[in-house]
Amino acid sequence: MPAPTTPSVRRLRSTARAMLPFPEPESWLDVDTGDAAFPEVARAFFPYTAFDGLDTTPRVLHAQAVERLEEGYLGRLTDPSIATRLRARYDVVSLLNPHADPAELAAALAVLRPGGHLLVESPADPRAELKARGCVIVTTARRSAHVPARLTARLPATLPGPPARAARALDHALALLLAGTRLAKAYRVIARKRPSAP
């Protein structure tokens, strides 16, 4: 079984661009950020946004040390001490992981300001849960399950140039053809937290 791969820069750019129709956020929390690859890419689209990150590994602290993040938090979003510390602090929270469970969605909404946006990418459709929690679904898209380089990563290193180039072209064509179809196995949902009642 191959090791999990980091999302491509192209895919991270696509995810960041999904937020362009909305006003530039002042603050953004990326959950499970790792080395902060997503905030680093998103900063090109949102240069005035302060990006923070949360992760269960010390990589988040390294990302803060090399200034990919303003603040790095070590732990889980569902940890009550983290949720309390970050309550209603962010304009955008991104959950770009395969395990957007109800507890994590609830914690993400708790750290989101009223009127803020939650960006979720998940193989499970989170819309019903988000609606049940009072969110307005702003956009929904299907993302391709095929990630370019899945085929080419398995090719022998000794493969000559033309067949290797053809395989790379096929990888990218499959990713484009499967995006947005029923074969795409991941949802990209942007939901808005309702403003608080006056």
Side-chain angles (χ1 to χ4, degrees):
M1 178 177 199
T5 58
T6 303
S8 70
V9 171
R10 179 182 292 179
R11 187 145 131 203
L12 294 175
R13 283 185 188 139
S14 170
T15 300
R17 273 194 303 270
M19 293 302 298
L20 284 174
F22 310 104
E24 182 161 359
E26 182 181 313
S27 57
W28 187 321
L29 177 67
D30 186 44
V31 179
D32 292 336
T33 196
D35 294 315
F38 177 67
E40 185 175 35
V41 167
R43 186 168 279 113
F45 299 97
F46 303 99
Y48 301 109
T49 299
F51 286 93
D52 292 350
L54 174 78
D55 201 86
T56 57
T57 68
R59 297 181 325 172
V60 69
L61 302 177
H62 178 262
Q64 179 183 355
V66 297
E67 299 180 353
R68 288 185 186 163
L69 299 170
E70 297 289 324
E71 296 286 334
Y73 301 100
L74 187 59
R76 296 192 179 280
L77 191 57
T78 52
D79 179 340
S81 65
I82 290 176
T84 300
R85 181 176 178 190
L86 302 180
R87 180 167 293 288
R89 183 171 172 180
Y90 295 98
D91 298 310
V92 175
V93 175
S94 49
L95 293 171
L96 310 179
N97 59 47
H99 57 274
D101 64 64
E104 191 172 46
L105 287 174
L109 290 172
V111 302
L112 197 61
R113 291 179 179 146
H117 291 93
L118 180 62
L119 171 61
V120 181
E121 287 191 355
S122 172
D125 187 351
R127 289 177 293 181
E129 181 67 28
L130 290 168
K131 286 179 185 175
R133 295 187 179 276
C135 292
V136 175
I137 305 302
V138 180
T139 64
T140 302
R142 299 290 296 268
R143 195 188 64 200
S144 176
H146 179 78
V147 177
R150 280 194 181 162
L151 295 177
T152 52
R154 296 175 187 205
L155 294 175
T158 58
L159 192 67
R165 283 192 296 277
R168 280 193 295 278
L170 178 61
D171 260 355
H172 286 283
L174 282 173
L176 292 171
L177 290 172
L178 295 177
T181 69
R182 295 178 72 187
L183 296 175
K185 295 183 180 176
Y187 289 85
R188 178 184 294 150
V189 176
I190 300 173
R192 186 174 59 247
K193 183 177 179 178
R194 290 188 190 273
S196 299

